[in-house]
Amino acid sequence: MNSKVKRFIDIVLSLLGLIILSPLFLVIAVLIKLDSRGPAFVKLKRISQGKEFGFIKFRSMIKDAHLEKARLMSFNDRKGTPFFKMKNDPRITKVGRVLRRYFLDELPSLINVLKGDISLVGPRPHEPGEVALYKNKYPEVVMAKAGITSLARIYNPHLTFEE
């Protein structure tokens, strides 16, 4: 697909999504604030097209969860990879579990699509530390424009990131 057409589609659909979903954003933000201390939104460092940007999500973990990651590293289910994934991660809040289950935590990343940081469809945006570990092995993933969802998720909607 032509990159200008894809960008136009990204702008139109992300803008429509933000407008239509704005009442849901408000409800989710209130639920997050009632459930735990900290902001409703987080901006996480991610890589798209080889550049770092602030990936906007609803907060699904306790405030300052990143400070606990080193302590929990021995429980990593993805040993031998640059990724950290832990079943029953104690840093995830009650509301956060629901948000993650239905991928609602990623709705604010429509703002990133509108800004042009990412696209609606593309490879997952990874953390800078993860990319540093595999950029030589998978340079096409690092240099591609990241997306909210991927082709694999589109063709298999039940796919989770744990799989």
Side-chain angles (χ1 to χ4, degrees), residues 99-122:
L99 296 178
R100 285 175 170 221
R101 181 175 196 168
Y102 298 103
F103 308 104
L104 298 173
D105 60 321
E106 300 198 23
L107 289 177
S109 57
L110 288 170
I111 296 166
N112 292 114
V113 174
L114 191 59
K115 289 172 48 183
D117 297 328
I118 60 174
S119 188
L120 289 171
V121 179

Side-chain angles (χ1 to χ4, degrees), residues 34-106:
L34 291 173
D35 183 46
S36 60
R37 283 184 26 246
F41 298 91
V42 293
K43 192 182 270 191
L44 306 169
K45 291 180 182 178
R46 293 293 184 265
I47 302 291
S48 177
Q49 296 181 305
K51 294 179 265 183
E52 191 174 289
F53 71 100
F55 189 57
I56 305 166
K57 295 178 70 169
F58 281 119
R59 183 176 54 82
S60 62
M61 293 187 155
I62 60 171
K63 186 176 182 225
D64 297 325
H66 63 284
L67 301 176
E68 296 289 317
K69 189 174 178 181
R71 182 180 64 81
L72 298 170
M73 197 55 82
S74 64
F75 300 103
N76 187 4
D77 294 331
R78 297 177 115 182
K79 289 180 181 22
T81 74
F83 308 107
F84 179 83
K85 187 60 75 177
M86 180 181 168
K87 192 172 190 130
N88 301 317
D89 192 326
R91 302 172 300 163
I92 301 174
T93 64
K94 291 175 195 156
V95 170
R97 287 197 194 289
V98 174
L99 296 178
R100 285 175 170 221
R101 181 175 196 168
Y102 298 103
F103 308 104
L104 298 173
D105 60 321
E106 300 198 23

Side-chain angles (χ1 to χ4, degrees), residues 139-158:
E140 66 281 358
V141 174
V142 176
M143 294 314 295
K145 190 167 204 172
I148 293 176
T149 193
S150 65
L151 288 175
R153 171 68 55 72
I154 290 170
Y155 290 114
N156 185 1
H158 302 293

